[in-house]
Amino acid sequence: MLFPTAEFGIFFLLVFGIAWALVDHLTLRKVFLLGVSYVFYGWWDWRFLALLFASSAINYGVGLMLTASPEATRRRRIVIGAVAANLAILAFFKYFGFFTEQLGEMLAVVGFERDAMLLEIILPIGISFFTFQGISYVLDVSRGDIPPVRSPVDLFLYISFFPQLVAGPIVRAASFLPQLAARPRLTLETVAFGVLLIVVGLFKKVVVASYLATEIVDDVFAVPDAYSSIDLFFAAHAFIVQIYCDFSGYSDIAIGVAALLGYRFAKNFDRPLAAASLQALWQRWHISLTSWLRDYLYKPLRGSRANAAVMNRNVLIVMTVAGFWHGAAWTFIIWGLLQGLLLIGERALKSEFRQQSAAADALAIPSADRPWPLWLAEKIAAVPLLGWFVTINMFALTAVFFRAPDLETVWTYYASLLSLSGGVELFTPWVAALIAGSVAAQFLPARTLEFTAPVLSRLRPVALGGMLGGAILLVEAASPAGVAPFIYFQF
């Protein structure tokens, strides 16, 4: 069941009406939302409902076991076992084929070639997201950050709540569980905020992302050596805009749907394509994942409380894991590794240039007489637009690894790009306008939607409904035929 479809619209209208009819019966309301969440998930493949139930049951049981186990060593073993169980489920469904393929190739290298184990495993939708939510719950309980959940309904609903179930954002128990204990409220401002987010999310997905995919990205990445260097260069930039609009569009819809049901999710994207450094970009991109990796992987590895070598190692580990989390392929692993190396290089350059600039200032060397690398670095620091230009181009050109189906396509893509062949076929004015408009919108104030919602809420309910309904119809009219699945469903 896809968000931008009539069937989801009917589903949500029914859920919305019944959920608010049960607002004075919290337990019954939560049972109802849990049930419809399972209906929503089972719409794709009912066979995986048992997997979702098992994952929730494991983490619920672990929380109770931690309560009954005050002894530190036993608690540590319980946590290790729980994390291992969660990761084993994820590894089997998502990475089994990749690991068996790599094992077969390694055996062939040493002369022990044999038929690989053939086991076709269907990837359950959203498994990466609900697995990480379960792990975060267990770790937060073990650290004492939150108390264990006594009600199985609360914990099961936390893991399976349908707005964020299949493609995030990764919601933290500490922010969501307290909301289940309180009576939700629905105001005109909440309605305006929720529907506004849904409209914006729909526009990002069904208009911008869909057109960029069909007009340039899919064709270029399918046969990169058939297109000019100009088309290849801008296809990479079109892709990062496409995936941003696709995924942030889903997040916007999920946050808006949750808000209409009385629950608040944290922002998952914060204008990342306007960032003037790669570090800032990653702090604003898929915030629920990057903050998860920071809190549950980077910090336990001693994070930034170590020397430069350890910090660099940790950045490489975290970003490589981030790449592998996205998919079981070498393209994703290399993409994550590249992001880590670029982050390390960016930090090292900033540190070096700060030291050289301080030394030049101490010696009173005029700006025009300083070595050109230092002069250029100072200009980039003084003019954020230059930093943004460097950042967005690095991000786009390395994203080839993320989008390409295999390494052979990656090498073909870069070779064709570097051939500097002329001509333009797919980089049309329409594509250029979509890319430029989407990036320009990133420079709007951070809380534009939050400021807009109260203004809209001052309208009469009929006028507000008509305006927002008309906006949805306009988005539908402007979109191409058909609805492609959200890109992050595969992760």
Side-chain angles (χ1 to χ4, degrees), residues 28 419 452 459:
L28 189 57
S419 70
T452 305
L459 300 173

Side-chain angles (χ1 to χ4, degrees), residues 47-291:
R47 293 172 297 177
F48 290 119
L49 290 174
L51 176 65
L52 178 61
F53 181 90
S55 176
S56 303
I58 289 170
N59 294 302
Y60 173 71
V62 168
L64 297 182
M65 290 173 64
L66 288 172
T67 304
S69 306
E71 201 269 316
T73 302
R74 177 173 170 76
R75 287 172 63 87
R76 192 178 304 111
R77 290 173 180 169
I78 292 172
V79 171
I80 292 173
V83 172
N86 278 285
L87 292 178
I89 294 173
L90 179 63
F92 175 76
F93 284 99
K94 191 168 183 176
Y95 301 109
F96 180 84
F98 174 78
F99 285 126
T100 54
E101 181 182 346
Q102 302 311 307
L103 178 60
E105 292 181 1
M106 290 173 59
L107 292 175
V109 169
V110 297
F112 192 66
E113 189 170 358
R114 54 172 296 175
D115 293 335
M117 183 187 302
L118 296 177
L119 182 61
E120 185 176 352
I121 300 174
I122 301 173
L123 178 65
I125 195 167
I127 188 171
S128 298
F129 292 92
F130 67 71
T131 297
F132 270 31
Q133 286 197 188
I135 292 174
S136 69
Y137 167 73
V138 168
L139 294 176
D140 286 349
V141 170
S142 70
R143 296 170 177 177
D145 295 338
I146 59 171
V149 178
R150 296 290 182 179
S151 166
V153 173
D154 285 10
L155 196 281
F156 277 59
L157 180 56
Y158 156 66
I159 290 180
S160 66
F161 191 38
F162 74 89
Q164 48 77 39
L165 175 58
V166 296
I170 302 170
V171 179
R172 299 290 183 90
S175 66
F176 185 69
L177 290 173
Q179 297 184 59
L180 294 180
R183 184 184 186 278
R185 294 177 63 250
L186 188 66
T187 64
L188 272 179
E189 185 173 331
T190 301
V191 171
F193 176 72
V195 179
L196 189 60
L197 272 176
I198 292 171
V199 170
V200 171
L202 287 173
F203 179 78
K204 288 179 179 178
K205 165 59 182 173
V206 304
V207 177
V208 181
S210 294
Y211 273 117
L212 287 176
T214 57
E215 295 289 317
I216 185 169
V217 174
D218 291 349
D219 289 342
V220 170
F221 277 91
V223 194
D225 53 351
Y227 296 97
S228 69
S229 296
I230 296 174
D231 280 336
L232 290 164
F233 179 80
F234 285 107
H237 290 73
F239 172 66
I240 64 170
V241 174
Q242 179 205 351
I243 195 170
Y244 164 76
C245 288
D246 190 284
F247 190 29
S248 71
Y250 184 95
S251 296
D252 289 342
I253 298 171
I255 295 169
V257 167
L260 291 177
L261 292 174
Y263 305 105
R264 296 300 295 262
F265 291 165
K267 183 183 295 186
N268 203 25
F269 288 84
D270 185 14
R271 304 162 301 131
L273 299 183
S277 69
L278 198 61
Q279 181 182 19
L281 187 151
W282 277 109
Q283 290 170 344
R284 302 179 183 186
W285 182 283
H286 199 351
I287 298 169
S288 64
L289 174 64
T290 53
S291 62

